[in-house]
């Protein structure tokens, strides 16, 4: 379970996210939907203990991310929008190193298992620098999964993928939801429609709607999530308030 309570993050005196609260239940996929600059990545990084709240709290499976970041990182798999993988490693070397860093028993078996799950068995011996964007995305997923974390945080998982790769990514994410809590970000409405049990729409660092796609549409008196989204956010100027690389 993921719980954010009155979470606020300020960069250089400018708020990136303000007074944000959200609960993500076990076994569900929750999507953060918003324009670039809405605060999505700021929230994801806080959940993954990549940075910490200015005020408010973030708990992951009952662990306070600010007080015990190492434990939160141990139970959270984080997949960034741009795969940041060591180019000189082979896929097997990377996954083995990650498994060993997390003290995974029978790490060789864990590597083979996650490689099969993510469809990268055929590239285990290849250097990461030689892989396509789609394969690097799958390696990034495998690297976050090899130690079997109960929580997954996915930043724009469809970014830069072609249509066939997006279909495979969606199937993989859905298959991972059983027994896990998944929080993902996107600016694509079709992604949250296809993947998410619940959706939180962000605008300029604040939550402006939360619920299923149908619930959000009904609450705004429109027929679709897309219409609700534009009614809530598209008429305003895009935010440039997020320094520090948040989205």
């Amino acid at each position: 379970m993921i719980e954010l309570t009155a979470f606020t993050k300020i960069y250089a005196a400018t708020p990136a996210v303000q007074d944000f609260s959200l609960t993500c239940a076990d076994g569900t996929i929750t999507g953060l939907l918003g324009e670039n600059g809405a605060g999505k990545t700021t929230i994801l990084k806080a959940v993954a203990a990549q940075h910490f709240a200015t005020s408010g709290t973030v708990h992951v499976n009952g662990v306070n991310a600010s007080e015990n970041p190492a434990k939160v990182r141990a139970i959270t798999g984080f997949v960034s929008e741009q795969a940041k993988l060591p180019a000189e490693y082979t896929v097997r070397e990377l996954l083995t190193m990650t498994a060993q860093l997390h003290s995974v028993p029978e790490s060789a078996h864990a590597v083979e298992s996650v490689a099969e799950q993510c469809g990268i068995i055929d590239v285990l011996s290849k250097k990461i620098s030689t892989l396509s964007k789609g394969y690097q995305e799958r390696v990034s997923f495998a690297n976050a999964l090899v130690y079997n974390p109960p929580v997954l945080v996915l930043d724009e998982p469809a970014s830069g993928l072609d249509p066939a790769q997006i279909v495979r990514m969606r199937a993989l994410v859905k298959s991972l939801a059983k027994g896990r809590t998944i929080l993902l970000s996107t600016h694509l409405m079709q992604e949250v429609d296809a993947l998410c049990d619940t959706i939180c729409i962000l605008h300029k660092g604040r939550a402006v709607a939360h619920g299923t796609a149908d619930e959000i549409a009904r609450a705004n008196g429109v027929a679709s999530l897309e219409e609700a989204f534009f009614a809530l956010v598209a008429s305003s100027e895009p935010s440039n308030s997020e320094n520090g690389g948040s989205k």
Side-chain angles (χ1 to χ4, degrees):
M1 179 178 286
I2 298 168
E3 296 176 282
L4 297 99
T5 305
F7 170 78
T8 295
K9 181 68 176 178
I10 297 174
Y11 295 109
T14 301
V17 177
Q18 301 178 69
D19 196 29
F20 178 82
S21 297
L22 179 70
T23 298
C24 308
D26 295 341
T28 63
I29 303 174
T30 301
L32 302 179
L33 175 65
E35 299 165 301
N36 290 336
K40 304 185 299 294
T41 298
T42 296
I43 293 167
L44 296 188
K45 286 184 174 180
V47 171
Q50 302 284 321
H51 62 199
F52 308 106
T54 303
S55 63
T57 59
V58 178
H59 287 85
V60 180
N61 282 9
V63 181
N64 188 304
S66 295
E67 295 176 357
N68 200 339
K71 187 169 183 179
V72 168
R73 292 175 195 136
I75 61 175
T76 304
F78 180 64
V79 180
S80 61
E81 179 181 1
Q82 300 295 331
K84 297 174 182 177
L85 306 171
E88 71 279 9
Y89 280 48
T90 67
V91 175
R92 188 185 299 277
E93 287 170 344
L94 172 64
L95 298 182
T96 299
M97 179 183 70
T98 300
Q100 292 174 346
L101 285 172
H102 286 268
S103 302
V104 175
E106 300 183 9
S107 58
H109 174 74
V111 168
E112 293 288 335
S113 178
V114 78
E116 183 173 358
Q117 183 179 24
C118 294
I120 57 171
I121 283 282
D122 56 334
V123 298
L124 277 174
S125 62
K126 293 187 177 181
K127 285 194 173 184
I128 291 167
S129 61
T130 68
L131 301 181
S132 67
K133 165 72 175 178
Y135 266 113
Q136 289 197 20
E137 184 78 8
R138 281 187 264 173
V139 171
S140 188
F141 267 90
N143 199 45
L145 289 169
V146 71
Y147 50 98
N148 196 29
V151 175
L152 284 177
V153 178
L154 313 176
D155 193 5
E156 303 278 1
S159 176
L161 301 183
D162 66 34
Q165 291 166 344
I166 288 173
V167 170
R168 287 193 291 267
M169 180 277 298
R170 288 177 182 170
L172 175 59
V173 172
K174 286 182 177 180
S175 74
L176 297 173
K178 186 176 181 180
R180 287 189 175 91
T181 307
I182 299 179
L183 178 63
L184 63 85
S185 72
T186 184
H187 59 271
L188 303 174
M189 278 167 275
Q190 60 267 37
E191 284 308 303
V192 289
D193 257 343
L195 287 172
C196 298
D197 301 297
T198 58
I199 301 159
C200 181
I201 297 178
L202 287 162
H203 183 54
K204 295 186 177 181
R206 293 186 181 273
V208 294
H210 181 259
T212 66
D214 287 343
E215 288 169 347
I216 292 171
R218 284 199 302 270
N220 287 276
V222 294
S224 68
L225 177 66
E226 181 177 11
E227 289 178 279
F229 179 85
F230 284 110
L232 288 163
V233 308
S235 62
S236 299
E237 289 295 320
S239 170
N240 60 4
S241 66
E242 287 193 335
N243 297 315
S246 57
K247 300 190 297 298

